[in-house]
Amino acid sequence: MKQKRFILPESEIPTHWYNIMAELPNKPMPMIHPGTKQPLKAEDLYPIFPEECCNQEMNDTDAWIEIPEEVREQYAHYRCTPLVRAYALEKALGTPAHIYFKNESVNPLGSHKLNSAIPQAYYAKKQGLTHVTTETGAGQWGAALSYAAKAFGLEAAVYQVKISYEQKPYRRSIMQTFGAQVTPSPSMSTRAGKDILTKDPLHTGSLGTAISEAVELATTTPNCRYTLGSVLNHVALHQSVIGLEAEKQMEMAGEYPDIVIGCFGGGSNFGGISFPFMRHNIKDGKTTRFIAAEPASCPKLTKGVFKYDFADESGYTPLLPMYTLGHRFKPANIHAGGLRFHGAGMIISQLIKDGMMEAVDIDQLETFEAGVLFARTEGIVPAPESCHAIAATINEAKKCIETGEEKVILFNLSGHGLIDMKAYDQYLAGDLINYAVTQEEVDANIEADKLD
Amino acid sequence: MKQKRFILPESEIPTHWYNIMAELPNKPMPMIHPGTKQPLKAEDLYPIFPEECCNQEMNDTDAWIEIPEEVREQYAHYRCTPLVRAYALEKALGTPAHIYFKNESVNPLGSHKLNSAIPQAYYAKKQGLTHVTTETGAGQWGAALSYAAKAFGLEAAVYQVKISYEQKPYRRSIMQTFGAQVTPSPSMSTRAGKDILTKDPLHTGSLGTAISEAVELATTTPNCRYTLGSVLNHVALHQSVIGLEAEKQMEMAGEYPDIVIGCFGGGSNFGGISFPFMRHNIKDGKTTRFIAAEPASCPKLTKGVFKYDFADESGYTPLLPMYTLGHRFKPANIHAGGLRFHGAGMIISQLIKDGMMEAVDIDQLETFEAGVLFARTEGIVPAPESCHAIAATINEAKKCIETGEEKVILFNLSGHGLIDMKAYDQYLAGDLINYAVTQEEVDANIEADKLD
C-alpha cells in the first residue's frame, strides 16, 4: 500500500518559528506612522498590539525565534498536522503531477488561524493584559482567538464582518461557546462603526471596517490589545510552523515541491506554507514556484497597485507598503469571507514585486467546482477560501497532463468548510454567481483614494 | 514538555479487525426471522445487506478478520486518529485521574462512522451492486456513507430523521455535496413512511422509522442494499479499529485504562473502543470497567428490558435479543440525534446482562455543560452525542477527587459538534430542557408492544 499521510513524530515538531524578514534579498519598506509620516518603531505599535508581537513585527535580524513552551503545549493539541498525498484527486484529474496538501483543517478550530491566535493570546497574557479584541471575516480567526483567549484566561471581543455574521451563524455560536463576545460589524458600538453606518446604513461590512472597530476598542480600553489574524509579519512568523513541518514531511515522502500554492487573503496561510521553502530559493538555489490564489472579486495581487495604504477602511492603522485595491474597496459578498481584504502582507507584496512569487485570480464558481471535486475524492469539504488553492492546484496539475511532467505540487488546505455548507448548498443549487472586478474599477478606486 | 498526543506510525495501524463474537464467554442468542420465527442464517440477510456484511454478522469463530487493502487505503485518509491526554480538562476538574480521549472527530466526515461506512460500501461495490441506502439520525452516519459510496462509485440514498433534517441542515448539505440523495423521514416515498404519516401526520421521525423506509427501499430496488451505522455485529467489528489503535496508543503513553467510556446509541462507538480492551478482561484477567453513557430520554440500558424486539418501528427487521424500550418508543427531540434509538446492539446487551459492562443515563443539560467545559479546556466542540461520554467521564473523574485515586479513564470522542452549533446556541441561551423517561413510561410502552 502506498503511503498517503505523513506525520512527524512529536520530537520533530518545530521548536522555532522561521522569520523570513532576516533573510529577504530586498526587505520591505518600513511601515509609516499615519500622523508623523515617519517610519514606525515597535514602540509606536505598543498601544495597539501585545508588546512582544510588536517586537516580532519589527525583527528583521533573527531568522529563528523560539516558540515559547506554553505555546508549544497548545500546539500539541493538534500539531503536527498531516501532509497528505492526494492520490484520489490525481486519479480523478488524470494528471501525472504529484499533489500533496498540508491539512490544517484537522485543527480543532477548523483552520490554520489557531497557529497565530495561540502565541498572540499568550503574549497578551504574559504582558498582564486582561482583554483582547479582533475582527473576523469568515469567522475562522475569531473562533481561533476565542479559544486561545479562553485557554490563557483572557476575555475576547470579536467584531465579525456583518455579511459573515449572517451567512455563518455557526461561527458566531462557536465563538460564544468559547466565551467570546461577538458583535456584527459595522456596529454602533464604536465611532468608526457609526461613521461607516452613517454614510451607508446597509453596509454589509468588510475586514477593513471590522479592523477599524476592533482597533478603536483596543486603543480606548485599559488592559486590552488588538490582535490580527493575517497581513502582518508576526502572523506570518507564527504560521511558519506550517511550512517547517511540511518541509520535513515532504522529506519523509521523498519529494520536494516544484510548486507551492495557498489561497490569499492577507497572506497568513500562504506565507506560512511558503516562507520555509522560499528560504531554499533564497539560500540554496532551489527554483520552487509560489502561487497565491486570490478571488477574482478581490484581486489585489493581480490587479492592484503597489503603494502605501491603510489596512483598515477608516485609516486608523499605520501605512503599509503593499499591493492594494485602495482601503475603501468594498469586496463583493463571496463566501470566501477570509479573502475579502483590500490589501496584502508586506513581505508577500515585496516578493511579488521582486518576481519571486506569483499570483492568480479565480472566479467563485471555479473555486466551488474545485472544492466539490476535492470533497468527492479526498473526503474533506474544504473551506471556500481553501477552494481557491485547490482550483489553482488543479489548473497546474492539468498543465502537467499536457506536458507530461510529474511536477510535485504542494498546497495548503487552510481549513474545512463544515461551517460553510450554506455556500455549497447555493453552489449545488446553481444559485452562486461570479463577481470579477475589472482593472478599470480598481484604477478608479485607487484614483478616488488620492483625493484624501 | 509532557506528551499530550499519541499517534501510531503507519506500520502500526491495524490490518485486522477484532471480532469479539469469537471470544465471548456467553454468545448472544441468535437473531430470529420475523416470519418463520427460526434462527436467522446469513443467507436470510442477503436481500437486505451486502453479502460479506451478512457473513461477518454471523461469524462467531474468527477472532481476527483481515481489513481489505482497498478499505485500508481509505482508512489511510485519516487513521491513525490521535489519542490525547486531556491535561487541561483534568486541571479544570482538579482531579487526580488521568483522562485520555481517542479523537475520532479529526476524521474528515467528523465522526467515527466512516470506519464502518468504508467497508460496507466496499463490500457492496465488490458484490457488483450499484446503489446503497441507509437512514441517519444525527446525520453523521449518512454523511459518512455518502462519502464512502462516492469513493467506491456507488449511488447513495439516505433517509434522514425529520427532526434532524430540520435541526441540522448542514448535514444534509454535506451529504448532497458528496452526491447523495437525501429524504426526510418519515416520507411519502415508501409504504412504511406513508403508514407512519397516516397514523401521525406530525411524526418528527426516529431512527426506527427511517430504518423501515431504507430497508423497504433496499428490498424493492434491484442492485441496492441497505447499510446500517450501528447496532449490528459487523458494524462493531469494523469499529474495533478504534480500540485496537487506542490499545497500542495507551501503551505508548505507558498506561492501561481502568475505565473505558463511550456514548451509547446502538453501540458502534462504544463497542468500537471497548471490545479490544474487553478481550483482556475475558482472556488476561484485566478488570477494566466499561461504561455506556446513554441519554436519560432514551434509557434502554438503564430502564429498558432484555427481550427479542425489532430494530425498526414498522417491524420489518429480524428480531434481535437486546435491551429495548419497545420498537415503537418515540424518543424526545434531544440534540444527540445519534442516540435516539430504542434498542441496543446484541453483543453489548449480552455483556450488560452478564454484568461485564455498565450503563449510566445522563440528562441533556448535564451533557452540554460537560461539552462546553471540554470545548473551553481541550479546544474541541464535541458532538452532542459525545457530550454524554464526556459527562460520564467527568463524573468518574470527580469520584477520584474524593477517593484520591489516579484512575486512568479513556473515553471515545466519537465526533465534533461543528454542525450542531444550534444546540450549543440553545444551551447557552438557556433554552434547552431535560427529557427524562420514567420507569413507568418504559414499562407501559413494553406492555403495549405485547398487544401485537
Side-chain angles (χ1 to χ4, degrees), chain A residues 297-329:
Chain A
S297 57
C298 197
K300 55 255 183 179
L301 296 179
T302 53
K303 294 202 176 70
V305 296
F306 183 89
K307 67 162 196 158
Y308 272 104
D309 200 1
F310 296 106
D312 69 324
E313 176 155 346
S314 299
Y316 287 3
T317 68
L319 287 155
L320 309 182
M322 63 178 178
Y323 281 94
T324 176
L325 298 164
H327 63 277
R328 292 206 192 80
F329 178 79

Side-chain angles (χ1 to χ4, degrees), chain B residues 389-405:
Chain B
I390 298 169
T393 298
I394 289 173
N395 289 338
E396 291 299 323
K398 282 183 176 167
K399 288 181 199 163
C400 291
I401 301 173
E402 289 164 32
T403 62
E405 290 173 293

Side-chain angles (χ1 to χ4, degrees), chain A residues 134-136 158-165 182-190 192-193 196-197 203-214:
Chain A
T134 196
E135 84 298 328
T136 194
V158 180
Y159 290 92
Q160 184 173 10
V161 174
K162 194 182 275 173
I163 182 70
S164 156
Y165 188 89
V182 187
T183 309
S185 168
S187 78
M188 298 299 282
S189 70
T190 63
I196 291 162
L197 286 173
H203 200 298
T204 51
S206 70
L207 283 170
T209 63
I211 291 174
S212 294
E213 293 208 87

Side-chain angles (χ1 to χ4, degrees), chain B residues 40-256:
Chain B
L40 213 71
K41 294 189 295 288
E43 302 84 82
D44 296 327
L45 294 172
Y46 285 178
I48 303 179
F49 301 103
E51 289 182 11
E52 186 56 30
C53 295
C54 304
N55 298 338
Q56 291 179 347
E57 185 66 25
M58 298 299 178
N59 185 333
D60 59 2
T61 49
D62 304 316
W64 298 97
I65 292 177
E66 192 171 359
I67 306 175
E69 176 151 341
E70 292 84 346
V71 172
R72 288 172 54 211
E73 275 173 10
Q74 285 292 328
Y75 278 177
H77 281 230
Y78 62 99
R79 307 209 70 88
C80 154
T81 64
L83 177 80
V84 186
R85 173 85 183 263
Y87 287 114
L89 177 62
E90 290 172 17
K91 194 176 157 196
L93 295 171
T95 179
H98 297 191
I99 302 176
Y100 291 84
F101 62 94
K102 178 72 167 162
N103 188 359
E104 289 291 308
S105 82
V106 297
N107 172 318
L109 276 305
S111 87
H112 71 292
K113 293 291 187 185
L114 196 52
N115 300 332
S116 186
I118 290 168
Q120 291 192 49
Y122 166 72
Y123 290 128
K125 181 68 180 183
K126 201 177 156 205
Q127 188 184 331
L129 303 174
T130 56
H131 289 64
V132 285
T133 181
T134 195
E135 85 297 328
T136 194
Q140 302 266 30
W141 168 248
L145 187 76
S146 299
Y147 165 70
K150 179 58 70 180
F152 290 108
L154 300 165
E155 299 296 318
V158 180
Y159 289 92
Q160 184 174 9
V161 174
K162 194 181 274 173
I163 182 71
S164 156
Y165 188 89
E166 288 162 5
Q167 278 178 342
K168 305 181 181 183
Y170 281 15
R171 288 250 195 261
R172 168 186 53 72
S173 312
I174 291 171
M175 293 186 261
Q176 289 171 337
T177 298
F178 287 115
Q181 178 192 312
V182 188
T183 309
S185 167
S187 78
M188 298 299 282
S189 70
T190 63
R191 204 193 66 201
K194 282 178 205 163
D195 285 352
I196 291 163
L197 286 173
T198 306
K199 281 185 212 146
D200 179 2
L202 299 178
H203 200 299
T204 53
S206 70
L207 282 169
T209 62
I211 292 174
S212 294
E213 294 208 86
V215 170
E216 181 179 328
L217 184 77
T219 51
T220 56
T221 309
N223 292 317
C224 178
R225 291 296 184 284
Y226 171 67
T227 63
L228 186 63
S230 191
V231 180
L232 294 175
N233 302 345
H234 68 274
V235 181
L237 171 73
H238 305 152
Q239 294 293 355
S240 67
V241 289
I242 303 173
L244 291 169
E245 284 182 359
E247 193 188 334
K248 292 185 186 178
Q249 290 167 301
M250 290 296 301
E251 219 169 282
M252 288 172 77
E255 307 223 60
Y256 192 88

